[in-house]
Amino acid sequence: MTIRVLEDDVIARIAAGEVVERPASVVRELIDNALDAQASRIDIRVEAGGHRLVEVSDDGQGIPAADLELAFQRHATSKLWSVDDLSQIQTLGFRGEALASIAAVSRLRIRSRSRDEQTGCTLLFEDGEIVERGSHGSTPGTWVTVENLFHNVPARQKFLRTPLTERRQITLLVSRYALVRPQVRFTLTLDDQENFRSSGNGNLAEAMAAVLGRDVAREMLRVRTPVKSADSIQVGGFVSAPALHRSDRSRILLFVNGRHVQDASLSFAVIQAYHTLLMKGRFPIAVLMINLPPDQLDVNVHPAKAEVRFQRPREVFGALQRAVRTTLLEAEGTSVSLARNPIIHGAPDNDTLSGAWQDMETAVRQPMFASDHGPDADVTDLPAAPQRPRSLPMLRVIGQVGASFIVAEGPAGMYLIDQQAAHERILYEQFLEQREREESMTQLTLAGETLDLPASEASLIVTRQEQLRAIGLELEPFGPKTFLIRSIPAMLATIEPREVVRGVIEELEKGLNPGEDTLERRLMRRVCKQAAVRAGTVLSREQMQGLVRQLERTKSPLTCPHGRPTLLHMSAGQLAREFGRHQGT
Ligand code: ADP
Ligand code: MG
């Protein structure tokens, strides 16, 4: 084999792949540049998820005409002079690679005018070569359009994700910038429709409302570094009150020295701060800014700058955790809204807490029931399916254990039934039957509460209208990111409508796993879970008997829709063995 040095354009395309891996990374690099140029307004336009077009324009300081060509040379930067500077980086960019990389794999047009000059310059690149030069007289700032991204890198094109995924990625990206730079006005236009806008008035709380939705923002607590702290590590931002939580950690947003970072250990520090305040498997929402002297941080770990390395990781972890924990404990002392979420002092045992939590949930929900049959009178009122043969033997209810499990007896021994799992199964099969008869879910019509959502969630709702309607949830667009909740699934009548929608959005965000049936079924399982009688709810004998009767007639009585067991069976023989009563003794 002959060894050869690669041609320049091949080198350029290989290197480009490290910096710009997908359309969202082009958007990121161009925004970084605009921010480094002190822009106060950044407008982003994207078509077909960036595959067709990415355009970013800013009102920053611009590039002097004499430097414009140089800016497109690899390792050309105005932000770094010496190796020493590397330990003092204050700008987002410093490697001088982005413009060169993007130009190498697209058709790129740039128009820039320096604040100090009367006219500006334009250049058009095709596959990294200049094909057109010109001048123009517009306002100071920079304007870049990128078309046909990766058209000359067939290998990369094969791996590009769908425009829908990319749109979502870009929306999330721009929202994160809006949080970390509330003093900059961002607009994002996707396929000619405005998708996101921040005010740029410098107010983080307002930026957060634009990104997370006003309802969520209202329940966030402000984090401040304790005044006493002499530490050089500063933490600020917002975290969710314990009443507000999610099923994943995707809303824990962390920024270090103005840069978004994904760092499992820092996220964990935040989660740990909620220890005993959140149920297992639930995660907080957080927008946290960590600031530390630049020399304690290495941002030059990754070409796309997604990772950072700390000189004193443990101190950063500790500072973050302390700041969040202090905020939560202070809020506990002052906030009324926390009253419904008990924080149990000195309760080290998580299980005790989640039990208490569930009791509280029941207590909060109880007054909403009009009848005095107890919280789940509907269990007995549900239409049974007498035409279907029993899939379990006839069971006689003996009693309830821990307000969570029903003890029953049948011809073959003892049964211990998980009331929540069993009810989920019953509700889920009712739904499947309704679908089979092509009936839509029974729904509860509401006067129309409004709900304000972040752009990413709003677009999910818009694209999934049909599936939502199938489960009885109608959301009517009411302004760009506001919806009227027209109806919710009837079985969720006792749950706050906004909470219903939140649960459904969480499910939508997860998307479908390979091998999973349909999104509609996934949503329905979630609804059933929300609707089912909770563990920790005391049931009357009639309610228990009703629940068991219905379980007996389900098609798959042994598991809940999520696959967990609904009952444990102990045969008469097993019982005898356990007690050492062998035959004849
Ligand atoms: P880096 O940002 O790492 O310096 P880039 O390739 O992204 O490298 O940009 C090269 C140079 O071009 C920058 O250092 C900066 O001087 C100039 N530049 C790029 N984009 C802009 C912009 N939007 N406004 C002003 N100057 C810019
Ligand atoms: Mg740059």
Side-chain angles (χ1 to χ4, degrees), residues 77-89 91 93-96 300:
T77 176
S78 57
K79 302 168 192 174
L80 190 69
W81 295 97
S82 66
V83 176
D84 290 345
D85 290 349
L86 258 185
S87 60
Q88 287 292 346
I89 287 170
T91 51
F94 53 86
R95 300 169 63 110
N300 192 22

Side-chain angles (χ1 to χ4, degrees), residues 531-545:
V533 55
R534 298 292 165 114
T537 310
V538 177
L539 298 179
S540 69
R541 185 167 295 269
E542 290 69 38
Q543 289 173 329
M544 289 192 272
Q545 200 66 61

Side-chain angles (χ1 to χ4, degrees), residues 238-293:
F238 288 88
V239 291
S240 53
L244 187 65
H245 41 76
R246 294 175 49 86
S247 65
D248 60 40
R249 52 196 84 194
S250 68
R251 288 287 192 286
I252 302 179
L253 302 174
L254 300 170
F255 303 88
V256 176
N257 286 8
R259 208 183 280 276
H260 173 250
V261 296
Q262 277 172 305
D263 184 306
S265 121
L266 291 185
S267 303
F268 186 62
V270 177
I271 295 166
Q272 277 234 305
Y274 281 80
H275 183 60
T276 75
L277 301 181
L278 287 186
M279 275 187 281
K280 271 202 190 108
R282 303 299 298 177
F283 299 94
I285 300 173
V287 177
L288 290 166
M289 320 293 170
I290 303 160
N291 286 304
L292 65 168

Side-chain angles (χ1 to χ4, degrees), residues 110-156:
I110 186 164
R111 206 164 64 198
S112 191
R113 187 189 133 191
S114 158
R115 281 178 188 164
D116 310 323
E117 294 176 349
Q118 286 314 303
T119 54
C121 226
T122 74
L123 292 176
L124 175 63
F125 288 84
E126 262 171 31
D127 304 343
E129 300 291 330
I130 298 180
V131 296
E132 214 182 285
R133 290 182 175 79
S135 61
H136 70 99
S138 72
T139 49
T142 303
W143 176 94
V144 180
T145 60
V146 177
E147 289 169 292
N148 304 340
L149 190 63
F150 300 126
H151 74 107
N152 57 356
V153 196
R156 175 57 53 92

